[in-house]
């Protein structure tokens, strides 16, 4: 049942006392003493039998094992909280890229780069990124804008860029040999078009794409409508891009515990723009709140529907509003559980919706880790 | 093409004459003699026992093979019919657990147990179950109820319980190190909350969950609305929980032929509460009738939609009504066909909707097996 | 990253100059010289000529590799264009089978055959097909029609036929041992029923079906409503059946480059009847246009929804209208990218929507290949 290899890698990890969030103390009063918090004094040490003079008997190993499992789980959560204070991995994707304006055209510059990407602490993969980021920089424009994207290929293989979801002239669609020649190593290509349709769109490689997209050549291209009055009101916005396979299970280029929490105040409306750029299905389950899904691929979902688990197939994008009505730390993870947890704790497609109220402040919690 | 190992395991099985359901005789008149029913006298007997004087001629092998395949298929269906008379495996999950009332609180007691679970005849797996059942006992409550669930962990590893879909106080949400400490071996935890939202919800382990849930720590938690007038009328209710992977492909903890049929009278409205607790997708196809889907995760699907194949992603729940308008035995199975059939016949995610009318009674059919 | 075996198999392929479609020339003006079109004179030649005195220097290999990759990609597209002029593989599935009329009954004759099927150029698989076709012949009828289908089994194993989505009498439902005996080798079975429900339905084997359906025993059964006025108007109709696993990834029995393009004139409404007969999920992404989904399993989707990526789970059928508003060659492929592209270019679940206008004619393009 247990992966010894992964386990041994983590051996020696001793859980510091877990910080207990202010709002969470209530749980303790339900705890029977037998099942109470693990603190280091209460945890049976390895040689607990009276008079034991030698190495633990084989039969004792399982007891050791569950304690280590729990310590690993705890360490992951503590690391995740530390991530919310300061990044625990190198490299941050999805930095907003402000265009420069040239003769009324919004101009973006993208490079296609080899990058060593730290997916989670210590796990560094040979990857590829636009502007050395995974996901690439987030681009934004409005319907009616003229945009130009200068793309420079720094790889040792060809590439191209497809503007996934945007209606563009065929010659700008980015499919090698159908609409353009690939951008050869060292080469460049200029994409230019007028923005026609709003939505949570994407851009990604369309050459050797099962490899290149999976290794990181993807990003968000958010198109705002000219008339924003019909788009729902929201207080906060998060873009969540799922990927899997070659770089492991990631949200916005990082696997738990290096994922970013979603933070909101009680009562706020939190917009999520979901994008699945992976090769698998990831039904994302939100604890303690619901999602109101109102847009798919930039087109209306009528009427909007409410759910607690949302399935965004590869290539689709869904916009939804979370109503953050209850304070606390709410797990938010893929319900294909093998994408989210193993015997060493949470990993991969896991984050948290942290909802603050007058009694629970994220800053207070983070001050304890 | 054929799995010899599985095949030999089943060698020796000789199909008894298949019972022919009353309503099904019509089929026979379409049968050409060449393609008529296999009866035991026509089936070549096997010469594979030790001491057989010579090997079967090479040319004879293929002919034997298809006959064995058909016999295995037939045996599975006969076993399934026998299951409807009396269980053909040990262990029954989802027994309704009536709460006791303490000071106006509905109290449920759950234990977390190791259990040897017979998934299908002869296939016994090392599993885990609430109250020694897989799925665990079905819990029911109504919006507004106060409930308390006492959980005792009898495993050799920690666990916790998440009330999937229910809106509960954060401290009761069951996520180790985010909302509570795990329930250590031998420990207990008391969950207590007031029911806020109706729906076909679930409960399951949230610790080492890819393993624990998959091995059986899951159950249904049905929450009725205070005002039931807006919920569709139905004559019969079935809860169908799908799982996969560590215990194989199961509906309500059992794989075909140990699955229970859905039985209805012609004209009845049959409610199905679908729950996917597995790690895979299972588009369930219903023969001979349609499903009207009206609720997802406890929230309305507006307008309801009709289909013959329903896909419930892991973590989601869908409520639907079957209109049982035509009599007979209607196959009901996952249309990822490798989850439902192999060269030895049906297995896994397969059951039957049996619709009775004045000419077709299930009891009459079962009397023949 | 590269599959050497597949690569070497293709070695020696030298890309002819790629035809540039009339409407696509615009792209060129954006090309920087460094990133310009690959023409044969500019491409480094391979060191594969007879009599080469030594192995290529190690540092040269990577450069050769990306060139070969690009050549393979290009060759695939050229082969695909040639497929649109004349089939590049043997065997064509889904030929419309006109019924003969006997006493007011529409009669179809189907045989179940072993067939060597060329999935893509040179890839010939041991398969099974109705009337030696994969998918089987397309059947059409109208609600109210009486139909009779004579089925003859030419396999060395039993089979049966299920009319997936059609409401038929139980005895005609095609499930061995539940509703009929299997059709033994050499046997026949006559299915007869009155058509009750419209929709994009299917027929397929229901015996040893994980094997038989996957190997090709499947087809489309289109049922038109008596009153067609409520069904959307369309200019062109395409049936797209997805399959996977034993014969690879296929659309209508063929993998790219042997797939057929969808061809429309600008402004036309193109009906697609989607059917997934495989064991996997295939979210199909359309470039340059959107799909308006209005029917699932023959029942209304209300209101219709618009998307650019459609996910049809196994066993489901969706009807949608493409609004072909922009001229050009638009890629149309599964966005599980590993079902559509590898380091040797596109394969499997890939086709193209070709939209013609006054400046872009498919015939002109094809004249160049």
């Amino acid at each position: 049942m247990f992966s010894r290899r992964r386990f041994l890698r983590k051996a020696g990890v001793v859980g510091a006392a877990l910080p207990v969030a202010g709002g969470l103390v209530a749980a303790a009063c339900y705890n029977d003493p037998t099942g109470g918090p693990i603190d280091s004094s209460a945890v049976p040490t390895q040689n607990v039998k009276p008079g034991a003079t030698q190495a633990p008997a084989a039969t004792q190993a399982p007891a050791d094992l569950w304690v280590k499992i729990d310590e690993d789980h705890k360490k992951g959560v503590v690391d995740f909280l530390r991530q919310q204070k300061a990044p625990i991995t190198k490299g941050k994707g999805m930095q907003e890229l402000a265009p420069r304006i040239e003769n009324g055209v919004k101009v973006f510059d993208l490079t296609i780069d080899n990058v060593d990407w730290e997916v989670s602490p210590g796990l560094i993969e040979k990857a590829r990124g636009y502007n050395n980021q995974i996901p690439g920089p987030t681009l934004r424009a409005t319907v009616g804008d003229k945009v130009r994207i200068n793309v420079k290929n720094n790889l040792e293989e060809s590439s191209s860029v497809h503007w996934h979801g945007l209606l563009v002239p065929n010659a700008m669609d980015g499919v090698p040999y159908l609409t353009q020649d690939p951008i050869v190593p060292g080469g460049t290509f200029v994409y230019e078009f007028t923005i026609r349709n709003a939505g949570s769109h994407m851009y990604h490689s369309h050459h050797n794409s099962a490899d290149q997209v999976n290794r990181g050549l993807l990003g968000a291209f958010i198109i705002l409508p000219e008339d924003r009055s019909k788009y729902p009101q929201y207080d906060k916005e998060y873009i969540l891009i799922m990927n899997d396979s070659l770089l492991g299970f990631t949200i916005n280029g990082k696997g738990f515990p290096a994922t970013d929490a979603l933070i909101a105040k009680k009562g706020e409306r939190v917009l999520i723009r979901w994008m699945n750029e992976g090769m698998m299905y990831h039904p994302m389950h939100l604890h303690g709140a619901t999602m109101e899904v109102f847009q798919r691929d930039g087109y209306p979902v009528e009427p909007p529907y409410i759910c607690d688990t949302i399935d965004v197939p590869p290539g689709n994008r869904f916009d939804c509003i979370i109503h953050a009505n209850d304070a606390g730390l709410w797990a938010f993870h893929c319900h294909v559980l093998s994408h989210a947890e193993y015997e060493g704790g949470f990993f991969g497609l896991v984050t948290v919706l942290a909802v603050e109220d007058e009694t629970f402040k994220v800053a207070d919690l983070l001050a304890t880790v």
Side-chain angles (χ1 to χ4, degrees), chain A:
Chain A
M1 185 179 84
F2 305 108
S3 160
R4 300 272 169 180
R5 192 183 58 76
R6 298 186 98 167
F7 208 86
L8 292 174
R9 188 167 53 80
K10 295 206 173 190
V13 168
V14 178
L18 183 75
V20 179
L24 307 177
V25 176
C29 66
Y30 290 96
N31 259 314
D32 178 277
T34 322
I38 300 171
D39 66 32
S40 50
S41 63
V43 171
T45 55
Q46 298 216 2
N47 296 306
V48 289
K49 289 182 183 171
T53 53
Q54 70 267 28
T59 53
Q60 202 175 342
D64 287 345
L65 203 49
W66 73 260
V67 174
K68 281 189 189 173
I69 288 175
D70 288 6
E71 285 172 352
D72 279 359
H73 277 239
K74 184 195 295 187
K75 182 179 185 307
V77 172
V78 173
D79 285 348
F80 174 79
L81 293 177
R82 288 177 179 154
Q83 161 72 23
Q84 311 317 315
K85 299 171 72 171
I88 60 176
T89 55
K90 280 191 192 172
K92 180 168 177 51
M94 303 182 71
Q95 298 172 40
E96 298 270 334
L97 181 59
R100 62 177 190 279
I101 310 296
E102 294 181 359
N103 296 323
V105 177
K106 291 184 174 173
V107 180
F108 302 90
D109 296 321
L110 292 180
T111 55
I112 306 176
D113 305 304
N114 287 305
V115 56
D116 292 326
W117 191 254
E118 192 173 11
V119 175
S120 56
L123 180 64
I124 298 173
E125 300 282 2
K126 293 290 175 195
R128 313 194 192 296
Y130 294 109
N131 297 12
N132 290 289
Q133 300 172 34
I134 298 175
T138 296
L139 312 182
R140 289 183 192 264
T142 299
V143 171
D145 284 351
K146 290 187 176 183
V147 301
R148 183 183 308 130
I149 304 113
N150 301 306
V151 178
K152 171 78 191 304
N153 180 10
N154 294 327
L155 303 181
E156 291 81 39
E157 66 182 77
S158 298
S159 195
S160 73
V161 186
H162 170 57
W163 315 99
H164 184 116
L166 283 87
L167 297 172
V168 300
N170 194 246
M172 298 290 105
D173 194 45
V175 183
Y177 304 116
L178 272 187
T179 71
Q180 69 169 81
D181 288 298
I183 313 173
V184 298
T188 64
F189 196 92
V190 179
Y191 295 92
E192 186 165 330
F193 45 85
T194 299
I195 301 287
R196 291 165 53 190
N197 61 315
S200 297
H201 300 312
M202 309 192 289
Y203 65 99
H204 61 73
S205 165
H206 214 290
H207 189 65
N208 199 6
S209 62
D211 186 88
Q212 291 191 358
V213 176
N214 217 253
R215 283 189 199 275
L217 289 179
L218 56 98
F221 202 155
I222 306 300
I223 307 298
L224 300 175
E226 286 180 290
D227 173 9
R228 301 186 194 184
S229 66
K230 291 182 183 168
Y231 196 85
Q233 297 294 310
Y234 55 89
D235 299 296
K236 289 217 165 129
E237 174 196 12
Y238 290 94
I239 303 168
L240 297 180
I241 306 183
M242 297 173 281
N243 202 357
D244 49 54
S245 306
L246 297 175
L247 302 184
F249 297 105
T250 57
I251 301 173
N252 297 347
K254 302 286 177 174
F256 184 94
T259 47
D260 287 327
L262 287 66
I263 300 178
K265 290 186 172 50
K266 186 174 169 175
E268 283 188 330
R269 295 167 58 90
V270 180
L271 170 66
I272 299 183
R273 300 179 185 271
W274 290 104
M275 304 177 176
N276 187 348
E277 278 282 25
M279 309 226 209
M280 302 181 189
Y281 283 66
H282 303 297
M284 295 294 292
H285 175 55
L286 175 58
H287 291 219
T290 53
M291 295 173 272
E292 184 172 351
V293 183
F294 63 93
Q295 208 169 83
R296 174 207 317 259
D297 299 351
Y299 301 94
V301 170
E302 290 177 321
Y305 66 86
I306 295 174
C307 63
D308 56 48
T309 306
I310 184 169
D311 177 38
V312 183
N316 275 128
R317 293 87 59 210
F318 283 81
D319 291 9
C320 72
I321 296 282
I322 294 174
H323 305 268
N325 291 333
D326 290 284
L329 298 175
W330 300 107
F332 202 176
H333 61 91
C334 182
H335 217 276
V336 177
L337 296 174
S338 53
H339 300 176
E341 196 172 8
Y342 77 117
E343 74 279 7
F346 293 127
F347 81 104
L349 294 172
V350 178
T351 185
V352 162
L353 170 68
V355 181
E356 299 184 310
D357 67 3
E358 58 285 354
T359 67
F360 174 59
K361 305 293 182 193
V362 170
D364 295 342
L365 173 62
L366 297 187
T368 68
V369 294

